[in-house]
Amino acid sequence: MDREEIQATIINFIETNFEMSDVGLDDDLNAVHGFDSIDAIELLREIETLMKTKLTRDEEEAAMTIRTVNQIVDFIEKAMAERA
Amino acid sequence: MERRVVITGCSGITPIGCSKADILKHLESGTSGVGRIRDDELLVEQLNTSVFGTVDEELAYDFPRKYRKTMGPVSLAACRVVDDVIKQSGLDRTFLSSGRVGVSFGSSHGSTVVLKKVYQACFNAQSTDMFSLSAADYLKSMVHTTAVNITRMFGITGRVISSPSACTTSSQSIGFGYEMIKFGVQDAMICGGSEEYDTTTVAVFDNLLACSTHYNDTPHKTPRPFDAERDGLVVGEGAGAVMLEEFESARKRGAVILGEVIGFSTNNNGGNLIMPDLAGVTQVLEMGLENAQINADQIDFISAHATATRIGDVIEARAINNVYGNKPWVSGLKSYMGHTIAACGVIETILTLYMMEKGFIVPTLNLDQVDDRCAMIRHTPQLMETNIQYAAVQNFAFGGINTSLILKRLFKK
């Protein structure tokens, strides 16, 4: 799965499941779209499904500082590379 | 300091309607809201009973997602009736968030459809090593989910009381809310209960041989409280809310007052968790009158718990006779919709308020032949045009908990 595919999947998930619209790659998800910790945990579960693997506790805690879609994609690419 | 407590809003989602007009129409025409149980693809085929008090109306729960995301169906229904009572009461957001307003609201369980998903995730994890739960699943399935979702959606910052006591959940909610205001702890309380469609509850009663099974092909003929041919209860779904306020502040702001709560009592039988107890029920009825500081002969109408079980109705009739004799009219309102468990106390309170306002009392539906063992009380024979000045709403729960609420009409007809 390349970067564009991951981006599209994540944006589609956020817009569909979190009912947010026009989500930009560098939007601060909390400030602009009201994304909160409940959404973040739900997104982590989706990322695990996407990667077909469980995230470690350290990875999950690191993910909680993420603010934008671009940062989410960076996070997924890094986690996938470490497992390759 | 003891203060008077009045009701300035009420709303129900019931098997006989989700608006005052629809509920009154069903009551006046004697139309039952009991139908065939919906298939849950889990338990229905294994049940002996096939009847259920269903809410068939498709309701819009178009709350913003930021509120909706932590709600299962039980909280969606709760927030809808609460939205109604806040609008009816006319109380503004500033007051709701002042810390002087609290919530007393409950359900038998958290959202049961979400709880099933949680258990499913556990079983899936055993076979796949993947344990995937939504972060919101706990917030939807915890037992005080209705109360706290109400606080979040409506910005309420006062006390939260959540009393998941099965069939007395919402009567206790009203009673505990009444006490909060009466004793000056809060100035207003949003009270009620909600019960989500759930076949596990039906299965429990079914296993105990407490569910009606002889009327599966004629659901509107059951339940039959106090009737010689009754054969058990019918589980239902629904929700209800009332706004309780301190009388003087409600009067000063010109609120429409639907009635006054003048008394509340609750006790427990201190013994068997399933079987009703004549001494415990009699005592709670006496304590309700004592709390209201009125005499038994002042009560005009009793909304009986009357689930239509073989033993429960007999014990209740005897307790009513012990305390009230045979003067007040008695009706079992579950005959119209089944037993909405956590919501029944508040729904029966709302129906009683409607009858107080309109000046009539409806009979127990399906009461064709009074069981001799229940004949010592004054059953409402047909729709009676009569004023209710004082009414008692009584409920009894698994676990041995009993409640009695005493209501008074304040407005002039």
Side-chain angles (χ1 to χ4, degrees):
Chain A
M1 186 177 273
D2 64 23
R3 188 172 180 89
E4 276 84 33
E5 287 174 315
I6 297 171
Q7 273 177 10
T9 302
I10 294 300
I11 287 179
N12 180 55
F13 181 80
I14 290 174
E15 292 189 340
T16 304
N17 291 277
F18 299 161
E19 298 177 19
M20 297 168 186
S21 55
D22 302 324
V23 175
L25 294 176
D26 292 309
D27 290 353
D28 183 317
L29 291 171
N30 174 262
V32 178
H33 300 286
F35 188 91
D36 64 13
S37 59
I38 292 172
D39 300 325
I41 300 292
E42 195 159 334
L43 182 61
L44 285 179
R45 300 286 82 81
E46 176 63 15
I47 289 170
E48 287 183 331
T49 303
L50 189 68
M51 293 173 53
K52 299 186 177 63
T53 184
K54 282 192 73 66
L55 296 168
T56 66
R57 175 65 182 254
D58 287 345
E59 285 174 325
E60 288 184 336
E61 291 195 6
M64 296 308 280
T65 64
I66 287 173
R67 290 289 173 268
T68 71
V69 171
N70 262 332
Q71 290 171 346
I72 294 168
V73 179
D74 291 345
F75 171 85
I76 294 171
E77 286 191 324
K78 180 168 178 286
M80 290 174 77
E82 286 172 356
R83 286 164 173 76
Chain B
M1 178 183 64
E2 292 191 4
R3 309 188 303 174
R4 292 174 66 185
V5 181
V6 292
I7 302 166
T8 57
C10 70
S11 177
I13 293 173
T14 82
I16 57 168
C18 304
S19 66
K20 182 179 177 181
D22 277 351
I23 291 170
L24 282 169
K25 185 177 74 180
H26 280 79
L27 286 177
E28 290 182 87
S29 62
T31 307
S32 168
V34 174
R36 296 281 297 182
I37 195 166
R38 295 195 298 276
D39 188 9
D40 66 345
E41 298 178 348
L42 182 66
L43 292 170
V44 161
E45 286 188 11
Q46 299 175 43
L47 299 172
N48 295 305
T49 189
S50 300
V51 291
F52 196 84
T54 57
V55 175
D56 296 326
E57 191 173 335
E58 291 286 333
L59 298 170
Y61 295 107
D62 49 355
F63 312 138
R65 178 186 171 271
K66 65 178 177 177
Y67 301 125
R68 216 175 61 238
K69 69 184 175 187
T70 55
M71 298 181 194
V74 72
S75 294
L76 289 168
C79 285
R80 189 182 189 278
V81 290
V82 168
D83 190 37
D84 278 351
V85 299
I86 289 174
K87 286 173 181 160
Q88 276 178 44
S89 72
L91 291 173
D92 63 27
R93 185 83 179 197
T94 305
F95 180 61
L96 293 176
S97 301
S98 67
R100 298 301 304 165
V101 182
V103 172
S104 181
F105 216 99
S107 52
S108 298
H109 315 274
S111 171
T112 49
V113 70
V114 176
L115 279 166
K116 284 170 190 158
K117 188 180 151 199
V118 171
Y119 298 137
Q120 192 66 50
C122 296
F123 291 123
N124 286 346
Q126 286 182 325
S127 57
T128 64
D129 284 337
M130 288 293 285
F131 184 66
S132 183
L133 280 179
S134 154
D137 285 341
Y138 178 70
L139 299 170
K140 293 176 183 175
S141 59
M142 60 191 185
V143 76
H144 59 314
T145 185
T146 56
V148 293
N149 272 295
I150 290 165
T151 65
R152 175 170 155 74
M153 185 159 159
F154 301 101
I156 293 160
T157 55
R159 290 205 173 192
V160 171
I161 301 170
S162 194
S163 53
S165 60
C167 319
T168 50
T169 296
S170 56
S171 55
Q172 282 198 322
S173 293
I174 296 170
F176 294 152
Y178 157 75
E179 290 174 343
M180 284 294 104
I181 300 169
K182 180 177 181 177
F183 298 117
V185 179
Q186 300 276 250
D187 292 331
M189 291 291 292
I190 297 169
C191 308
S194 181
E195 189 74 22
E196 181 175 318
Y197 164 74
D198 176 32
T199 50
T200 56
T201 305
V202 183
V204 169
F205 286 115
D206 203 63
N207 280 339
L208 289 166
L209 310 179
C211 278
S212 173
T213 57
H214 294 163
Y215 302 91
N216 286 343
D217 295 327
T218 52
H220 61 287
K221 294 282 189 189
T222 189
R224 310 174 65 84
F226 303 119
D227 187 81
E229 299 297 320
R230 71 188 181 283
D231 71 331
L233 60 82
V234 175
V235 177
E237 60 187 332
V242 292
M243 176 68 81
L244 302 187
E245 277 189 75
E246 190 275 320
F247 169 66
E248 283 300 332
S249 59
R251 186 182 61 80
K252 280 178 189 161
R253 71 183 187 85
V256 175
I257 293 175
L258 308 177
E260 179 173 0
V261 183
I262 62 166
F264 168 64
S265 60
T266 184
N267 69 353
N268 75 91
N269 296 330
N272 198 305
L273 300 185
I274 293 178
M275 297 302 287
D277 181 85
L278 180 60
V281 173
T282 300
Q283 184 189 46
V284 86
L285 304 188
E286 290 170 341
M287 288 164 55
L289 288 171
E290 186 182 340
N291 188 255
Q293 296 184 312
I294 63 170
N295 298 320
D297 63 5
Q298 290 178 266
I299 294 286
D300 303 301
F301 171 68
I302 294 172
S303 166
H305 187 59
T307 60
T309 57
R310 291 191 177 93
I311 304 297
D313 288 8
V314 174
I315 296 291
E316 184 169 14
R318 290 174 62 190
I320 290 170
N321 186 253
N322 283 347
V323 177
Y324 295 101
N326 64 354
K327 186 243 169 189
W329 297 110
V330 178
S331 297
L333 298 171
K334 289 179 181 69
S335 58
Y336 290 79
M337 66 184 78
H339 189 344
T340 56
I341 316 287
C344 75
V346 67
I347 287 175
E348 289 156 15
T349 297
I350 293 167
L351 268 49
T352 301
L353 290 169
Y354 288 164
M355 291 191 287
M356 263 186 181
E357 180 198 335
K358 296 295 178 186
F360 68 78
I361 297 173
V362 294
T364 300
L365 212 56
N366 299 319
L367 181 50
D368 298 332
Q369 174 67 47
V370 177
D371 182 338
D372 289 342
R373 296 169 301 167
C374 304
M376 72 293 274
I377 56 175
R378 193 182 193 192
H379 294 284
T380 313
Q382 70 271 327
L383 191 143
M384 312 277 295
E385 290 200 3
T386 183
N387 288 329
I388 304 171
Q389 186 64 31
Y390 294 97
V393 178
Q394 50 201 45
N395 296 101
F396 319 119
F398 262 23
I401 298 174
N402 309 305
T403 64
S404 176
L405 285 163
I406 310 291
L407 309 175
K408 180 183 177 185
R409 192 181 69 176
L410 274 190
F411 48 83
K412 290 194 171 87
K413 187 167 164 56

